[in-house]
Amino acid sequence: MSKATIDLPPKGGFSFDLCRRNDMLSKKGARPPSYRKTGTTIVGIIFQDGVILGADTRATEGPIVCDKNCEKIHYMAPNIYCCGAGTAADTEAVTDMVSSQLQLHRYDTGRESRVVTALTFLKRHLFNYQGHVQAALVLGGVDFTGPHLHTIYPHGSTDTLPFATMGSGSLAAMSVFESKYREGLTKDEGINLVSEAICAGIFNDLGSGSNVDICVITKGHKEYLRNHLLPNANVYALKREYTFPKKTEVLLTKITPLREKVEIIEGGDAMEE
Amino acid sequence: MSFSKMPLVEANQALDASSLSLDSERTLYPYVTGTSVVAFKYRDGILMAADMGGSYGSTLRYKTVERIKPIGKHSLLGASGEISDFQEILRYLDELILYDNMWDDGNSLGPKEVHNYLTRVMYNRRNKFNPLWNSLVLGGVKNGQKYLGMVSMIGVNFEDNHVATGFGNHLARPILRDEWNEDLSFEDGVKLLEKCMRVLLYRDRSAVNKLQIAKITEEGATLFPPYSLKTFWGFEAYKNPTVGAEGSW
């Protein structure tokens, strides 16, 4: 049966059709389901040879921790990584999408990607969606012009900074940076400072927790230190297994193979269509 | 800052009879506010710091507001929030200390007692829906015992080794949790306070670079003269943020 009218496929992009209805519903008291957020602490610093990014590993769904060890430092290019805070789906999707765009751009230009390219792709996309894509990002990388560190806000504005923090734990991490950051840190000092900032977020912010992930990017080289620190290890876990000594005495063991009891017919009629 | 009028001549009149007279006398929003106070115990007593700013909404209206005052012989009171309510609290405490002195019995109200009095006052006002819009920090030493407590505008009170109000909770507390210890000397304590106040100066929009430090020991309270903190703005990225990225910011 063919339809009387032809439905055109949607032109793409966000469809604002249901926004008015959602608004009306929320005024009447019906709350929408809560998003899986990465209530987070993400940080980045510029040190002497490049950029160090850090993140915690807790993902929350309202008051519940839904993922104790998620990955918040996303790959964008071999020389560019991006930490994401906000709605988990949004950060994943947007960084994935821009990563692919960067790859295509690399094929097109034949050169290593620049951090500002990633920055422009991201901010253009986020501004286009007027803040509805709730992704707050810390983008860092080293290209031929040097090391760069940027923050990108959900509405599409960006900042270029020597040290940056985002997420619910950003104030705790920023207090560490404001008191201890200086220019020309060595790699070890930088890793220690970033770990300290993330730990400040983990222990002082309820939306952040579990472990510390670190990514060090220098010219021509990157180090992804997954779970660099585990300050919340499960110390009191039971080491023994849950086996208990058998209490009932075994009097008799008799094994009856069931094949003798049941007649098996091989072949037979095929099932009807 | 909102200057909305009470809906006295609107349809709501029929719904709420009390919206005519009593409501207009309740505190609904703070007007002139002070920002954070940071305090902790150190070797000889309590160290407390607050800046001297009084903001009128988003304007920095008053720049010499003393937000730390000595109370009696044994305590220091620091307040953030509505300045007029702080002055009212000072009058209540003045009366309290006066009556205590009139007994002339050799006893004097210590920090624990003053803290308890303040908790009762704040909680009772909150119950009448007419709060004193302050977060108070009460510290003191009596008979060698150091005491540091906090009361919020809804009457939440607790005692701790280090406290902070307002933005200080988010910015100063992580530093204090990491670096505070029982046996800080006066110089180390001031350095730690300055560290916290510097972060607040950088990141709190209502902070002023004029802070006052106060200490209280067994001997008594000392309010030091106000001074400014040094700040550092010379990062390379601040000087030239768009290097390699012309057109961005």
Side-chain angles (χ1 to χ4, degrees):
Chain A
M1 273 184 64
S2 61
K3 294 196 183 141
T5 55
I6 303 165
D7 270 339
L8 286 166
K11 275 207 187 126
F14 193 80
S15 163
F16 288 88
D17 292 340
L18 289 172
C19 285
R20 193 188 283 168
R21 163 241 185 208
N22 290 341
D23 209 38
M24 184 268 292
L25 278 176
S26 65
K27 279 204 183 72
K28 300 226 167 138
R31 281 184 306 123
S34 73
Y35 305 116
R36 176 166 166 260
K37 303 198 87 174
T38 55
T40 300
T41 311
I42 49 173
V43 304
I45 61 163
I46 295 196
F47 72 110
Q48 137 191 326
D49 310 316
V51 169
I52 304 182
L53 298 173
D56 75 306
T57 60
R58 174 182 284 186
T60 50
E61 221 163 37
I64 305 171
V65 176
C66 59
D67 192 345
K68 291 188 285 189
N69 208 356
C70 69
E71 279 187 29
K72 298 187 191 179
I73 306 186
H74 309 283
Y75 168 87
M76 299 284 264
N79 59 325
I80 307 174
Y81 273 76
C82 186
C83 308
T87 307
D90 287 337
T91 57
E92 283 282 347
V94 106
T95 48
D96 240 9
M97 184 195 81
V98 172
S99 176
S100 314
Q101 276 185 299
L102 281 174
Q103 177 72 288
L104 290 169
H105 194 247
R106 273 203 292 285
Y107 286 138
D108 215 4
T109 57
R111 291 177 174 77
E112 184 189 61
S113 297
R114 300 192 196 188
V115 182
V116 285
T117 318
L119 180 72
T120 312
F121 279 140
L122 285 165
K123 77 151 84 164
R124 235 179 240 161
H125 181 82
L126 291 175
F127 180 73
N128 222 0
Y129 285 88
Q130 289 291 294
H132 290 285
V133 175
Q134 278 171 354
L137 311 164
V138 171
L139 176 73
V142 181
D143 54 34
F144 92 100
T145 55
H148 295 279
L149 179 67
H150 302 278
T151 52
I152 308 164
Y153 289 83
H155 285 263
S157 66
T158 59
D159 283 314
T160 312
L161 297 165
F163 54 91
T165 66
M166 294 285 261
S168 54
S170 62
L171 282 91
M174 186 51 87
S175 70
V176 171
F177 279 163
E178 285 286 13
S179 40
K180 295 188 182 158
Y181 179 81
R182 51 187 176 77
E183 295 198 292
L185 290 164
T186 64
K187 179 172 142 186
D188 288 324
E189 287 173 339
I191 292 182
N192 279 338
L193 183 63
V194 167
S195 304
E196 232 186 288
I198 300 287
C199 284
I202 288 175
F203 294 119
N204 292 298
D205 174 47
L206 295 175
S208 315
S210 303
N211 318 119
V212 179
D213 282 351
I214 304 242
C215 185
V216 184
I217 311 174
T218 52
K219 192 154 181 61
H221 178 65
K222 64 159 188 276
E223 245 181 280
Y224 185 63
L225 303 165
R226 167 79 172 146
N227 287 1
H228 170 71
L229 267 186
L230 293 110
N232 290 306
N234 193 358
V235 185
Y236 302 107
L238 269 180
K239 290 192 181 45
R240 64 179 168 78
E241 306 257 304
Y242 281 101
T243 51
F244 297 97
K246 294 188 174 65
K247 294 284 181 185
T248 341
E249 232 185 278
V250 178
L251 295 173
L252 170 69
T253 313
K254 181 176 175 215
I255 302 171
T256 314
L258 285 174
R259 269 215 168 226
E260 296 168 4
K261 300 258 172 192
V262 172
E263 214 187 301
I264 299 167
I265 310 168
E266 300 287 321
D269 296 332
M271 284 206 307
E272 277 195 25
E273 267 281 313
Chain B
M1 265 313 292
S2 64
F3 290 97
S4 62
K5 285 191 175 163
M6 287 303 298
L8 292 174
V9 284
E10 267 152 43
N12 302 336
Q13 217 173 23
L15 291 163
D16 189 16
S18 74
S19 73
L20 283 169
S21 51
L22 292 171
D23 269 20
S24 54
E25 311 233 337
R26 294 189 290 133
T27 303
L28 292 169
Y29 349 84
Y31 286 95
V32 181
T33 52
T35 181
S36 2
V37 178
V38 184
F40 50 79
K41 292 185 189 167
Y42 77 110
R43 184 186 297 158
D44 311 318
I46 313 282
L47 269 172
M48 198 182 290
D51 67 23
M52 300 193 78
S55 317
Y56 185 56
S58 49
T59 326
L60 255 176
R61 178 76 178 79
Y62 303 103
K63 295 199 193 166
T64 315
V65 179
E66 275 191 29
R67 294 193 292 115
I68 306 181
K69 294 281 184 186
I71 309 289
K73 279 192 288 195
H74 302 282
S75 326
L76 268 181
L77 174 66
S80 71
E82 173 64 60
I83 301 292
S84 62
D85 284 344
F86 176 49
Q87 291 169 342
E88 185 72 4
I89 290 171
L90 289 176
R91 280 196 30 232
Y92 288 157
L93 287 174
D94 210 25
E95 208 182 307
L96 182 77
I97 301 290
L98 184 69
Y99 278 119
D100 185 48
N101 287 341
M102 289 203 312
W103 283 110
D104 203 15
D105 56 2
N107 284 328
S108 47
L109 286 173
K112 215 175 269 197
E113 290 84 56
V114 178
H115 186 224
N116 189 272
Y117 174 78
L118 286 171
T119 311
R120 293 289 106 230
V121 168
M122 300 298 268
Y123 186 65
N124 272 288
R125 289 290 296 254
R126 159 258 165 138
N127 282 343
K128 295 190 224 164
F129 280 91
N130 187 11
L132 289 159
W133 210 287
N134 291 110
S135 286
L136 304 168
V137 174
L138 201 300
V141 192
K142 189 177 175 194
N143 297 337
Q145 293 273 44
K146 295 178 276 207
Y147 184 87
L148 179 62
M150 200 174 115
V151 193
S152 81
M153 80 184 214
I154 51 173
V156 176
N157 78 309
F158 57 90
E159 198 219 319
D160 207 347
N161 291 322
H162 45 76
V163 295
T165 65
F167 250 97
N169 265 316
H170 298 106
L171 290 169
R173 273 275 183 83
I175 303 177
L176 292 172
R177 278 184 182 160
D178 241 358
E179 302 189 15
W180 179 86
N181 66 70
E182 249 327 324
D183 199 35
L184 283 168
S185 69
F186 177 68
E187 289 79 28
D188 285 337
V190 171
K191 256 199 231 121
L192 184 56
L193 266 181
E194 284 189 350
K195 199 182 224 192
C196 296
M197 297 307 284
R198 186 171 290 117
V199 179
L200 284 167
L201 174 64
Y202 282 136
R203 295 283 161 175
D204 180 3
R205 84 165 190 181
S206 33
V208 200
N209 194 1
K210 188 175 178 191
L211 70 137
Q212 193 173 39
I213 295 193
K215 78 168 163 118
I216 184 152
T217 60
E218 192 67 55
E219 286 85 52
T222 321
L223 264 72
F224 294 99
Y227 68 103
S228 300
L229 290 170
K230 279 207 203 63
T231 54
F232 179 70
W233 299 90
F235 295 114
E236 277 306 315
Y238 288 172
K239 284 187 219 156
N240 206 358
T242 61
V243 66
E246 307 310 320
S248 87
W249 66 91

